[in-house]
Structure formats: structure tokens, C-alpha cells
Amino acid sequence: MAAAGQLRRLLTSSEVRWGTAGWSFFIAENFFLSENRTFLIDYLGDDNYHLMYGTISTIATASIGYSYYKLKKLQPKISPSSIPTGSLVVAWGLVSVGLGLASQALPKMQIPVAIKNSANGGSKLQVLCPFDFADKHRDSGDGTIRGLERVSRHPGLWSFGLISAGNAMIQSNMALRMWWCGPAAVAWLGGMHTDSRFKRGMGGQLDPIIESQTSNIPFLALLSGKQGSPITSFS
């Protein structure tokens, strides 16, 4: 009971709230705005919808950065020798895989404000999300999946997610550890929601053939036999 009480106090502490609030806001606003995309575009118009989406996503991203600024001072300086060997090994593996994905599918970082040409020949201000996580399918057209999509349907999301999860493994402060787990939560939940929307024709399409041969979670399709036996899949 004492341990449960300590865990409850830890999870409800202001530090942990700072560690999770920014990422929770980012996930929630993306879920709400993308899930209600059709209704909001019909109600607000396409330009105003993207203006609202970009503005709120920029605010959410800023809140994530501010929460890290608040929490960073809580992390004492530690030497690699003080980190458990198992944590270092797992961190190295996660970061290595994440960097491998990022080298080929790093999400595009962009200035959240741009000038676009309008339909009447003038120009207009457009607010964008600071990160472009759009993943382009790499199927060959004959039902065979190639490239990073064999690993995950959302390699751009998971490149950030795995690198951050690796960093979480070497944090000594629980709030900072949860903050570093945020991108992995975005990749997992955001990837699932994107797949769900695309299967319903909202904002894109998910071909049933692609879905049957791939997975959201990295390497799951390779290990589960969706692309043949695991031995041949990795060859």
C-alpha cells in the first residue's frame, strides 16, 4: 500500500504533469482536429481549417519545448558509468534503429508560417504545423511492399519515437523520462489514428493490400509473418 501511495503521489506531482502535459495536448489536438476534419472544413472552409490546425499545433509544440525547459534543471549531471548496463544497451539499440529510420524518413521541419498564392491571384498567410509527418507509401504497384514501409507504415513518426525512447532509458528523473517517452506515444497513437482515418477515407487512403503486409509498430509485420517467414523477411 505504501508503494502504491508513493507511485500515486509521483504520478500526480507537478513535475510529472509538466512531463506529460505538452505531449498530451499535442496528441489530443491532433486527434480532435484530424478526426473532425471533414466537419470543420465544411464549417470553417479549407483555409481557415488549416490556419486553425497550424496555429494550435504550433502552440502545442511550443508547450512541449517549454515543459522541457522547466524540467531540464531537475536532471542532475550523471556519468555514463552510473547508468545501468542494461539501460545503456537498450538505449543504444533504440537510438540506433531510430537514427537508421531518420536517415531515410526524417519528418520535414518547416517554418510554421508561409506565404501562399490565393485563388484570386493575390497572396495569403498560411500557418503550418512545425513538423510535416506525412508518410508516403512505397508500394511497387503490384502488391509488394518495399523500402521503409516494410518496417513501419509511419517511419517518420517512429524515427523520432525510437530516438526519444532511447533517451528516456538514461534519464534518472521520472518526469524527464516521461517527457522523452512523448514522441513514442505520438508515433503509436498517432500512427493508429492515421491508419483508422485513412481506412475511412479521411485525409488519405490505406490500401487493404498495404495494410495486410505492414504494421504501425516497427518490425511487427516482419516478425509476425505478414511478409513471409521472419528469416526470409529480414534477408
Side-chain angles (χ1 to χ4, degrees):
M1 294 296 292
Q6 290 178 352
L7 179 61
R8 188 180 303 110
R9 286 192 295 271
L10 175 64
L11 294 179
T12 57
S13 68
S14 60
E15 293 179 3
V16 169
R17 285 199 294 269
W18 274 111
T20 58
W23 290 112
S24 298
F25 178 33
F26 185 86
I27 292 171
E29 60 92 5
N30 272 275
F31 177 88
F32 176 80
L33 294 177
S34 58
E35 181 66 23
N36 296 281
R37 172 189 174 92
T38 302
F39 167 77
L40 291 172
I41 288 178
D42 290 342
Y43 185 75
L44 299 172
D46 188 72
D47 289 343
N48 287 331
Y49 168 77
H50 285 92
L51 174 64
M52 179 179 65
Y53 201 138
T55 301
I56 296 176
S57 292
T58 300
I59 293 172
T61 303
S63 73
I64 292 169
Y66 182 71
S67 64
Y68 182 78
Y69 169 78
K70 293 281 289 186
L71 293 171
K72 180 59 179 174
K73 59 185 178 182
L74 300 176
Q75 175 78 314
K77 291 184 178 180
I78 55 176
S79 64
S81 60
S82 65
I83 302 173
T85 302
S87 296
L88 285 174
V89 171
V90 173
W92 178 84
L94 291 172
V95 171
S96 296
V97 175
L99 288 174
L101 293 176
S103 68
Q104 301 181 61
L106 186 68
K108 183 179 69 174
M109 300 179 67
Q110 54 193 3
I111 299 174
V113 178
I115 304 297
K116 301 290 184 180
N117 295 327
S118 61
N120 58 13
S123 60
K124 60 182 180 181
L125 183 69
Q126 184 174 4
V127 180
L128 309 170
C129 179
F131 297 98
D132 181 7
F133 287 108
D135 289 317
K136 296 179 174 58
H137 292 304
R138 296 176 175 82
D139 60 302
S140 63
D142 59 0
T144 301
I145 306 301
R146 295 193 175 94
L148 286 182
E149 194 153 292
R150 296 185 65 222
V151 177
S152 170
R153 283 192 290 269
H154 308 285
L157 283 172
W158 280 106
S159 65
F160 271 157
L162 293 175
I163 292 171
S164 297
N167 277 277
M169 293 298 300
I170 60 174
Q171 304 300 314
S172 61
N173 179 272
M174 177 59 71
L176 273 171
R177 185 173 295 178
M178 296 183 74
W179 187 94
W180 278 106
C181 285
V186 171
W188 178 44
L189 297 173
M192 286 197 304
H193 186 233
T194 298
D195 291 342
S196 173
R197 289 192 301 107
F198 282 11
K199 285 192 289 186
R200 289 174 285 154
M202 297 176 59
Q205 299 290 330
L206 178 56
D207 191 297
I209 296 178
I210 294 176
E211 182 185 11
S212 68
Q213 297 182 16
T214 59
S215 62
N216 174 28
I217 298 175
F219 301 106
L220 182 59
L222 292 166
L223 295 172
S224 64
K226 284 188 173 183
Q227 299 173 26
S229 69
I231 296 177
T232 58
S233 295
F234 281 96
S235 62

